[in-house]
Amino acid sequence: MKILIVSQYFKPENVSIPSDIAEALSAQGHSVRVLTGYPNYPTGHIFPGFSQKWRQRSVENGIEVCRVPLIINHSQHSLKRMLNYVSFAFTSASARSFARDADVIYVYATQMTPALGPWLWRMTGGAPYLLHVVDLWPDSVVGSTIVGGHRQAQAVERMLNLWIGRVYKRASMVVGISPTMVKTLVSRGLDPQRVELVYNWADSFPNSRTVPEPNRPIYDGIDVVYAGNVGEMQDLEVAIRAVAKAADSGVRLSIIGDGIAKIGLLQLAYELGVSNVRFRDPVPRSQMPEIYAEADFALVSLKDLEVFRGTIPSKFPSVLAHGIPAITTVQGDVRAMNEQHGLGIAADAESVDDLERAFREAAALGYEERKLMGDRVRNFAERLFTKNTAISKIESFLIRIVEERHIEK
């Protein structure tokens, strides 16, 4: 097949799914192209070696990539953030010639705006498209700090719903990343036969997992790692306050990454005088096994928004694949998995006291208990979160779409 991938994010940005899909489909013999923006996430600055121009084409690992300009902004300023999304929507939509001979289009919808081009092209005879929904819109926009004020949120919701409903109607298939998300999509009028569940997958499964200790003294405590985007929605202020209160238990927290909230968190840690929180710069994905090898638990946290109850953050499968139990404040599907399958310790979102309780509970576990928990989470991840299984499902959906198109013709 000739497959076009449309995604606002792509390598060298640390957003693995569109890159993984492009490389895997190319390895299967498909002709793969990628339409994307200039790399700037999550720092909000163009990556070294890139400069924006109207079009930049290149071949990366055998995949043709076309980059289009966009307004760069990762702040919580509502207008500027929406301009970031909308600018990519329009510049990518203008690149129809790059999509002209595609058999099928895969849209990575972290936000819905990358679907603008494929939707417009489809209405005028273009290729059918599959939507991979990572964040539900308008829920994630209206529920975030991007949109302020009840009236403003209502107006934005009405406007987005008018367009999003049409995008879903034109889509040949829609993929959701959690059971709750799939149910929500169906409840909004989508044909259940066109909605499928594909979990986010783990980046890698190391050959073995060595649980830290037993050579460490018992009083040395435990190491908890958070690795990923340091944004407002990750609710890391609560984590810093909670780990500060639990300092006497021996718990330590490392925050690895970058984002708009980092400066404020550094200031908070300084004001609290905490000595058990460490900040580190982002590291390449290839170094994450080394990071996880030093950790006893991983923190997976989000604010308490209804939309997050139907999401499974991409870091959750990755930490489980490395045999790291999760301390999580993500409610809904993630908490249910955590509690039902013994994948770590769950806490209430946005609660300093309950997260402190979770940190203390983790610190009180002995080496053997943590080792058993680590084996359990690794086995769980191997059942649900393998890359090959997930991408094979997506490939089968794309084949199905192309076959149906040929039948229609």
Side-chain angles (χ1 to χ4, degrees):
M1 297 180 292
K2 295 179 180 178
I3 303 169
L4 173 67
I5 294 175
V6 181
S7 170
Q8 184 166 329
Y9 312 110
F10 195 70
K11 279 186 172 182
E13 292 167 304
N14 194 18
V15 180
S16 61
I17 288 176
S19 301
D20 287 346
I21 289 176
E23 291 170 4
L25 292 176
S26 179
Q28 287 295 101
H30 302 292
S31 174
V32 180
R33 296 178 181 178
V34 177
L35 179 58
T36 188
Y38 287 87
N40 65 90
Y41 177 84
T43 62
H45 302 286
I46 287 285
F47 283 25
F50 292 86
S51 60
Q52 294 210 81
K53 57 190 73 171
W54 182 240
R55 295 281 189 273
Q56 177 179 300
R57 292 197 182 190
S58 61
V59 176
E60 303 174 16
N61 295 324
I63 297 165
E64 188 176 1
V65 179
C66 178
R67 296 187 184 272
V68 295
L70 68 168
I71 296 171
I72 295 173
N73 187 273
H74 292 297
S75 72
Q76 290 302 303
H77 188 285
S78 58
L79 177 59
K80 292 178 180 178
R81 191 66 173 271
M82 289 307 298
L83 285 173
N84 171 247
Y85 299 155
V86 171
S87 63
F88 176 75
F90 281 100
T91 57
S92 60
S94 72
R96 179 166 186 168
S97 61
F98 191 67
R100 195 171 301 280
D101 61 347
D103 296 316
V104 64
I105 300 172
Y106 165 89
V107 182
Y108 183 62
T110 45
Q111 50 269 356
M112 195 60 67
T113 41
L116 177 66
W119 172 67
L120 291 172
W121 305 333
R122 185 59 177 153
M123 286 195 296
T124 53
Y129 60 90
L130 177 150
L131 278 178
H132 192 159
V133 181
V134 180
D135 287 325
L136 274 177
W137 273 40
D139 312 56
S140 58
V141 175
V142 175
S144 73
T145 57
I146 294 176
V147 178
H150 181 65
R151 288 187 178 180
Q152 184 180 358
Q154 284 186 321
V156 170
E157 185 173 16
R158 283 194 298 269
M159 179 180 65
L160 287 175
N161 271 330
L162 284 172
W163 175 64
I164 289 169
R166 288 168 171 79
V167 172
Y168 282 138
K169 185 176 181 180
R170 289 279 178 182
S172 295
M173 287 197 70
V174 179
V175 168
I177 64 170
S178 75
T180 296
M181 181 181 286
V182 168
K183 290 177 184 176
T184 301
L185 290 167
V186 171
S187 73
R188 293 180 180 180
L190 274 70
D191 181 354
Q193 301 300 315
R194 296 192 303 112
V195 184
E196 296 283 353
L197 170 65
V198 177
Y199 288 110
N200 285 337
W201 52 86
D203 290 338
S204 63
F205 283 78
N207 294 328
S208 63
R209 158 70 173 156
T210 302
V211 178
E213 231 156 327
N215 297 322
R216 294 191 323 200
I218 278 186
Y219 60 79
D220 196 31
I222 63 166
D223 289 295
V224 180
V225 63
Y226 172 89
N229 183 36
V230 184
E232 296 291 341
M233 292 297 103
Q234 282 66 41
D235 205 29
L236 293 172
E237 177 181 340
V238 166
I240 290 174
R241 293 185 184 278
V243 81
K245 291 181 67 176
D248 61 302
S249 70
V251 63
R252 294 178 294 271
L253 174 64
S254 293
I255 297 175
I256 302 173
D258 209 345
I260 61 172
K262 188 170 184 178
I263 293 176
L265 295 174
L266 286 164
Q267 181 66 27
L268 174 64
Y270 174 78
E271 291 172 355
L272 294 176
V274 295
S275 58
N276 60 335
V277 176
R278 181 173 59 155
F279 291 86
R280 294 180 57 181
D281 291 334
V283 300
R285 288 166 56 191
S286 60
Q287 290 185 21
M288 287 311 300
E290 299 172 25
I291 300 295
Y292 288 137
E294 300 172 355
D296 298 289
F297 287 84
L299 176 65
V300 181
S301 61
L302 285 171
K303 285 195 171 182
D304 191 15
L305 300 178
E306 186 65 31
V307 66
F308 291 152
R309 296 174 182 267
T311 192
I312 297 178
S314 58
K315 66 170 61 64
F316 187 64
S318 292
V319 300
L320 301 188
H322 285 79
I324 312 293
I327 297 174
T328 182
T329 66
V330 183
Q331 306 303 293
D333 288 333
V334 171
R335 180 161 190 163
M337 280 184 182
N338 204 302
E339 294 180 335
Q340 290 172 14
H341 300 282
L343 306 179
I345 302 170
D348 296 338
E350 300 186 42
S351 171
V352 173
D353 290 342
D354 202 46
L355 187 52
E356 177 195 359
R357 185 268 312 162
F359 284 139
R360 291 185 179 277
E361 188 176 324
L365 292 175
Y367 171 75
E368 290 300 329
E369 292 174 291
R370 288 189 281 110
K371 187 176 185 303
L372 287 172
M373 190 179 287
D375 293 340
R376 187 162 58 243
V377 303
R378 167 67 183 249
N379 292 335
F380 181 85
E382 288 177 339
R383 293 199 304 272
L384 249 67
F385 300 135
T386 58
K387 182 192 301 185
N388 289 343
T389 299
I391 296 180
S392 292
K393 288 178 71 174
I394 290 173
E395 181 186 24
S396 72
F397 301 153
L398 296 172
I399 291 172
R400 174 175 147 191
I401 292 170
V402 172
E403 289 176 345
E404 289 175 350
R405 187 188 188 191
H406 288 160
I407 291 172
E408 290 173 1
K409 288 182 176 180

